[in-house]
Amino acid sequence: MKGATGVVTIIGGGLAGSEAAFYAAKNGLKTVVYEMKPEKFSPAHTLSTLGELVCSNSLKSEGRENASGLLKEEMRLLGSIILEAADATRVPAGNSLAVDRGAFSSFITGRLEEMGVEIIRQDVSELPGDRPLVIATGPLTTGGLAARLQALIGKKNLFFYDAVSPVVYGDSIDMDRAFFGSRYNKGGDDYINCPLNEDEYGVFVKELLGARAVLPHDFESTPLFEGCMPIEAMAGRGPKTLMFGPLRPVGLIDPRTGKRPFAVVQLRMENSAGTLYNMVGFQTKLAFSEQARVFRMIPALENAEFARYGKLHRNTYMDSPGVISRTLQLRKERGLFFAGQITGVEGYCESAVAGIVAGMNAVRFCRGREPVAPPPSTMTGALLEHISTSTGGAFQPMNANFGLLPQGEKKPGGRRKRRLDQADSALEAMKAWQNEILENLPLI
C-alpha cells in the first residue's frame, strides 16, 4: 500500500502499545516504540518499564462464564504478550488473574527488547510521518500530542473527562415493576421506566448520600460540570433535587396505576440489540460495590446485573464511531491506527486486545494486505464493532460484556449456562476466523 515504510512505529508503551509491538516484532518487522518514561512520568505512573498497571494488579476473572475470562481466552488464541507476562508473574487471587506489578512490567520490557524492538525514551508532541503509525498513548494523553490529535480528528471528537453511567443487562430488569415509554409519549417506547413511590425514593436518597465514594487521585480532580454532576452530588443539594433532575416523573404515566409515579429512573437502550440499558443521569463516583448495593434499591433493579459501573474521572478518548473503523484505522487515513483506552475501550485486557488488532493491521499495511478484524460473534470483534459503530446515543467507553454478543435463542439452564454457551460460540468463531486469514498472514 502507498505510504508503507516497512517499519511499524508505535507511540506509547502501555498494554496496548506493548501488544502491538509484540505482534509486529514476532512477524518479522522492524518495530519502534516511543515511550516517554523515564524522561517524563504521568501522575499515575511510577515504573520506568513498559506495560505498567496503574490501578489494580488484577486482570479480572479467568472463568469463561465471565466476559473478561472469555476475552482472555480469545487473547491467548491471538498470542498475547500481556497474558504471557501475567502467567509468568501471577500471584494467588482465586479465580482472578492477578500479578506482581513490577515483575509483570519487567517481563514485558525484557521480552520486547529480546525480540529487537527499539524503545526510544522520549515524549512525543508531534505525530511522526512514518506509516504505519499506531497511537496507543492511553487515557492520560496530554500536552502537545493531545493538541495534535484534536487537530487531526476534530476538537469535538476528543474528550478529556469520562462521565459514565452504569449499564445493566436488559434481561436482569424486572419488567413486572417497570414499563416502557417516553415522556409525554414522544418517541415511542424508547425508555424503560423504573418507578419509585415516596417511601422507596426516601430510602434510596438516604442510602445514596451515605454510600462510600472512591477517593480520586490528585490528577483526577475533575471539575464537576453541571452536565456530568455525580448523582450523589446532586442528591446532596436537597432531598428532592433528583425529582427535578434525572428522576423527574413529569410526562410519564405508569400503565398499571394510570398515575404519574412519585419518581422515575429511566433506562436508555445502550445497543441496538436491546441487551444493554444505560441508567440515564447516573454518572457517579461511588465505589462499585456501593453502586450495586444502592442502585438495587430501585424496585425494578432489585436483581440487576451490571455490565458496566458508573464513574467520573480523567480520561482521554475519542468519539470513536465517527473516527475509526473496526480495524482500528483512522477513517480518513488508512496508515494511522489507534489502540487502547483512547479508542473508547475500558479495562486492561480490552486495551490490550485492541493493541493486538492494531498491531496485526499495521503489519498487514506494511505487506500490502487488507485490514481485518475478528467477527462480531467474538468478544474481541463485538467490542471493536461497538466502539466503531455504536449508535446508542452519546458515546462512552465500554468494557467487554456478554450484552455485546449475539444473544441467540434462549435455552433452559439459567444465566451461567447461557454465558457459557455464548463463550463456546465466540471461541469457535475466533478459531474459524483465524483459519480463514492464516494463509494471508500468520498470527504467530
Side-chain angles (χ1 to χ4, degrees):
M1 290 183 182
K2 185 178 179 180
T5 62
V7 177
V8 174
T9 304
I10 300 159
I11 305 177
L15 300 183
S18 296
E19 289 283 20
F22 183 63
Y23 190 93
K26 72 183 176 183
N27 277 281
L29 273 81
K30 177 174 173 54
T31 306
V32 178
V33 175
Y34 286 90
E35 169 54 52
M36 69 180 187
K37 301 184 302 182
E39 177 184 293
K40 181 180 179 181
F41 284 87
S42 81
H45 293 88
T46 59
L47 303 176
S48 62
T49 42
L50 306 187
E52 181 180 357
L53 303 181
V54 299
C55 295
S56 169
N57 71 324
S58 172
L59 276 67
K60 298 185 179 179
S61 174
E62 291 191 287
R64 61 190 173 87
E65 72 275 12
N66 293 300
S68 59
L70 169 58
L71 186 61
K72 288 180 189 62
E73 292 203 29
E74 293 184 359
M75 290 171 64
R76 293 186 192 282
L77 291 174
L78 294 171
S80 165
I81 188 176
I82 298 307
L83 293 183
E84 183 180 325
D87 289 338
T89 63
R90 68 187 302 155
V91 296
N95 194 39
S96 295
L97 179 56
V99 303
D100 177 312
R101 293 174 193 269
F104 174 81
S105 182
S106 294
F107 181 101
I108 293 168
T109 307
R111 188 85 163 86
L112 292 178
E113 289 175 339
E114 289 170 4
M115 299 174 73
V117 173
E118 182 181 359
I119 303 172
I120 300 176
R121 302 287 189 157
Q122 70 178 57
D123 188 21
V124 174
S125 58
E126 298 285 345
L127 289 175
D130 303 325
R131 299 293 183 270
L133 174 65
V134 178
I135 298 174
T137 49
L140 297 177
T141 302
T142 57
L145 185 57
R148 299 297 174 272
L149 293 179
Q150 280 191 318
L152 178 68
I153 68 175
K155 187 173 182 179
K156 66 184 179 66
N157 292 323
L158 194 65
F159 300 94
F160 291 99
Y161 64 91
D162 199 355
V164 174
S165 296
V167 170
V168 299
Y169 288 107
D171 62 4
S172 70
I173 302 166
D174 185 352
M175 292 307 299
D176 289 335
R177 293 191 277 184
F179 61 93
F180 283 99
S182 296
R183 297 186 194 283
Y184 303 105
N185 294 317
K186 294 180 179 179
D189 292 342
D190 292 347
Y191 293 86
I192 292 178
N193 300 284
C194 306
L196 298 90
N197 62 33
E198 186 171 2
D199 289 341
E200 291 164 342
Y201 175 83
V203 170
F204 171 73
V205 170
K206 179 182 177 181
E207 293 299 320
L208 182 63
L209 291 173
R212 179 173 56 88
V214 175
L215 293 176
H217 296 290
D218 290 341
F219 65 93
E220 288 183 343
S221 55
T222 308
L224 299 181
F225 302 110
E226 289 298 321
C228 63
M229 182 71 63
I231 190 164
E232 62 272 16
M234 280 189 280
R237 293 179 169 181
K240 292 190 177 180
T241 301
L242 297 181
M243 294 177 60
F244 296 92
L247 274 71
R248 64 189 184 280
V250 295
L252 294 167
I253 300 297
D254 188 336
R256 293 162 305 180
T257 65
K259 298 179 180 179
R260 187 176 81 176
F262 185 81
V264 173
V265 174
Q266 287 200 304
L267 309 178
R268 181 181 59 237
M269 193 180 292
E270 181 78 9
N271 62 343
S272 57
T275 57
L276 300 170
Y277 281 83
N278 184 294
M279 296 181 68
V280 179
F282 269 65
Q283 56 270 6
T284 178
K285 284 200 164 198
L286 296 185
F288 290 174
S289 60
E290 290 289 81
Q291 291 183 47
R293 180 182 69 82
V294 176
F295 297 160
R296 284 178 181 146
M297 291 180 174
I298 299 165
L301 302 182
E302 182 179 4
N303 298 306
E305 295 293 331
F306 292 84
R308 180 187 75 197
Y309 287 104
K311 61 179 64 177
L312 179 66
H313 65 167
R314 174 71 171 79
N315 191 5
T316 303
Y317 68 97
M318 302 183 295
D319 185 9
S320 295
V323 176
I324 60 174
S325 67
R326 60 192 297 264
T327 57
L328 298 178
Q329 291 171 289
L330 190 68
R331 291 184 186 273
K332 63 182 182 182
E333 187 179 339
R334 290 168 60 81
L336 193 55
F337 300 84
F338 288 85
Q341 282 190 238
I342 198 168
T343 66
V345 298
E346 182 91 350
Y348 287 153
C349 288
E350 289 86 344
S351 297
V353 80
I356 296 175
V357 175
M360 180 186 303
N361 284 322
V363 171
R364 295 182 73 89
F365 183 88
C366 286
R367 294 183 176 173
R369 306 262 170 76
E370 288 299 313
V372 296
S377 50
T378 65
M379 185 60 75
T380 302
L383 189 62
L384 299 183
E385 182 83 3
H386 180 82
I387 66 170
S388 60
T389 65
S390 175
T391 57
F395 178 72
Q396 293 182 331
M398 180 61 73
N399 57 280
N401 65 82
F402 281 105
L404 298 175
L405 290 175
Q407 300 302 296
E409 181 182 351
K410 282 193 175 181
K411 298 178 182 178
R415 180 183 295 272
R416 186 176 186 278
K417 176 63 165 57
R418 291 200 302 272
R419 299 297 189 238
L420 288 171
D421 288 344
Q422 284 181 292
D424 288 342
S425 296
L427 291 171
E428 289 173 8
M430 179 63 83
K431 292 173 184 176
W433 175 74
Q434 285 184 287
N435 290 334
E436 284 180 14
I437 68 167
L438 205 55
E439 295 180 4
N440 294 325
L441 181 70
L443 287 173
I444 55 175

